Amino acid sequence: MSKDFETRFIWHNGSFVPWQEAKVHVMTNALHYGTGVFEGIRAYWNSKQLYIFRLQDHINRFFNSIKIYNFGIDFSKEQISEGIKETLRKNELRTDVYIRPLAIKGYGPIGLDVRKLKTDVFIIAMPYGKYFEKEGIEVLVSSWRRISSQTLPVLAKVTGHYSNSVLAKLDALNKGYDDAILLNEEGKVCEGTGENIMMVKDGIIYTPPISAGILDGITRRSIMEFAPDLGLKVVEKDIDRGELYTADELFFVGTAAEITPILKVDGRPIGDGKVGPISKKLKDYFALITQGKVDKYLKWLEAVW
Ligand SMILES: Cc1ncc(COP(=O)(O)O)c(C=O)c1O
């Protein structure tokens, strides 16, 4: 396994520890029961400045996830935001970066009563390129359904929830696909394993609503806000599986995936099976925004250096 994701320091409960020493005990509750909350944030290097994309929105979601599970945390939003910036500086990162804040229920006796357990917080930052190596991907509709909000609070980004994503992802990879689309328990299109989804039909962009049981993605919200600048409209609506096959364009959106065109679903080419013009327009504009080249969206960027 390549080690090029390693950096020098990891932030742990307010102090820096060398990468190799950021360890937990095997009796850490989160290892047993999935009691961890996390975020995935990108920072973009434009050869002069490192910009963190929508840091405050990610911090808000991180704290909301903690609140939903009632885990508690000994740090304020300001301390975590500062911790993230310090981690990037301490590691002298001047490249595209992925940032992973992680708050886990820590060391303690076996059992589900986590009330007395400390919430251990880590901030990890690593150089990061593309999530998907290809320009466009092939996916299947998973036989696994997306966990419903009646089972788990899907708006929270919690480690335990991701066993659902891992099952769907591994199934897709083992069958030769790049990723999976999950339907919700009503059979409507929900999202990818770690991405939201958007569909283009007759020039309009459609995306499943929050009520479909999706994660409230920050990339999805960003696209909904900037699409009108390109003369495009995003409409939230429930999407049937069959609509995917006859879409003009389809793409995943998310922090890791950014905007990734989907060229085939269940072996059927989407549109003409090539990257579509609207996907390309959005991708190009998003790249300008994250590089700090669109004044209107400098509000989404936090400078590190
Ligand atoms: C299940 C799931 N859906 C959607 C997303 C996209 O959210 P965001 O754009 O905030 O990264 C993610 C990634 O965080 C995810 O894990």
Side-chain angles (χ1 to χ4, degrees):
M1 189 178 52
S2 131
K3 290 190 167 183
D4 54 11
F5 59 91
E6 293 183 5
T7 50
R8 291 177 60 211
F9 298 101
I10 287 176
W11 188 99
H12 181 206
N13 294 336
S15 310
F16 285 106
V17 292
W19 178 280
Q20 306 298 346
E21 288 167 29
K23 293 179 181 167
V24 295
H25 194 275
V26 72
M27 285 298 282
T28 297
N29 186 273
L31 289 176
H32 300 244
Y33 304 115
T35 49
V37 159
F38 68 104
E39 267 306 316
I41 309 171
R42 269 190 190 262
Y44 292 90
W45 175 245
N46 71 2
S47 73
K48 286 198 196 94
Q49 183 53 271
L50 183 62
Y51 283 125
I52 309 174
F53 186 65
R54 301 200 72 166
L55 176 61
Q56 294 318 316
D57 298 288
H58 283 282
I59 296 288
N60 287 339
R61 190 169 65 188
F62 187 60
F63 275 76
N64 281 339
S65 299
I66 291 168
K67 189 172 188 185
I68 288 171
Y69 269 80
N70 228 346
F71 282 162
I73 180 166
D74 293 335
F75 299 92
S76 65
K77 288 185 179 179
E78 292 68 33
Q79 285 172 309
I80 299 298
S81 302
E82 243 348 273
I84 287 173
K85 284 188 241 165
E86 281 170 20
T87 306
L88 297 174
R89 292 185 194 121
K90 180 91 176 163
N91 285 296
E92 293 173 31
L93 286 162
R94 286 182 176 80
T95 183
D96 290 342
V97 176
Y98 189 83
I99 305 155
R100 166 56 48 85
L102 176 69
I104 54 175
K105 276 295 171 191
Y107 180 82
I110 285 287
L112 300 176
D113 182 0
V114 299
R115 289 175 299 176
K116 292 207 177 76
L117 300 186
K118 185 169 187 288
T119 303
D120 266 320
V121 188
F122 294 88
I123 300 167
I124 311 140
M126 61 205 93
Y128 199 75
K130 296 254 169 292
Y131 183 62
F132 293 106
E133 288 305 325
K134 305 177 193 165
E135 205 196 344
I137 58 168
E138 296 185 21
V139 307
L140 89 170
V141 174
S142 185
S143 57
W144 295 103
R145 292 297 167 104
R146 185 75 183 132
I147 38 173
S148 117
S149 54
Q150 294 183 55
T151 308
L152 290 166
V154 291
L155 285 176
K157 204 164 160 60
V158 172
T159 58
H161 296 189
Y162 278 76
S163 51
N164 180 236
S165 291
V166 170
L167 279 169
K169 180 84 181 182
L170 288 184
D171 188 39
L173 293 174
N174 288 333
K175 288 177 175 151
Y177 296 89
D178 300 303
D179 208 338
I181 295 171
L182 289 103
L183 306 180
N184 62 24
E185 287 185 356
E186 282 75 51
K188 301 291 181 192
V189 172
C190 189
E191 59 185 342
T193 56
E195 313 88 3
N196 293 121
I197 190 166
M198 293 192 172
M199 172 183 95
V200 179
K201 187 72 187 169
D202 298 329
I204 296 176
I205 305 167
Y206 297 96
T207 193
I210 300 294
S211 58
I214 63 170
L215 185 81
D216 186 359
I218 290 164
T219 318
R220 173 184 174 277
R221 279 194 186 274
S222 304
I223 295 169
M224 289 170 78
E225 193 172 331
F226 72 64
D229 297 3
L230 304 170
L232 297 164
K233 190 163 87 172
V234 182
V235 176
E236 293 179 284
K237 83 166 194 87
D238 279 323
I239 297 173
D240 283 321
R241 179 176 187 163
E243 290 180 86
L244 296 176
Y245 301 145
T246 55
D248 298 328
E249 298 179 38
L250 214 53
F251 47 92
F252 275 149
V253 305
T255 298
E258 301 176 290
I259 297 172
T260 300
I262 298 171
L263 305 184
K264 268 188 184 176
V265 178
D266 293 336
R268 295 158 174 83
I270 302 305
D272 61 5
K274 302 202 180 80
V275 175
I278 291 182
S279 314
K280 179 153 189 338
K281 244 179 159 178
L282 291 170
K283 240 173 104 80
D284 292 348
Y285 195 49
F286 186 59
L288 290 177
I289 290 171
T290 54
Q291 294 280 313
K293 292 181 180 147
V294 185
D295 286 351
K296 190 173 168 186
Y297 299 109
L298 285 173
K299 63 176 183 181
W300 286 344
L301 305 177
E302 219 152 308
V304 173
W305 296 105

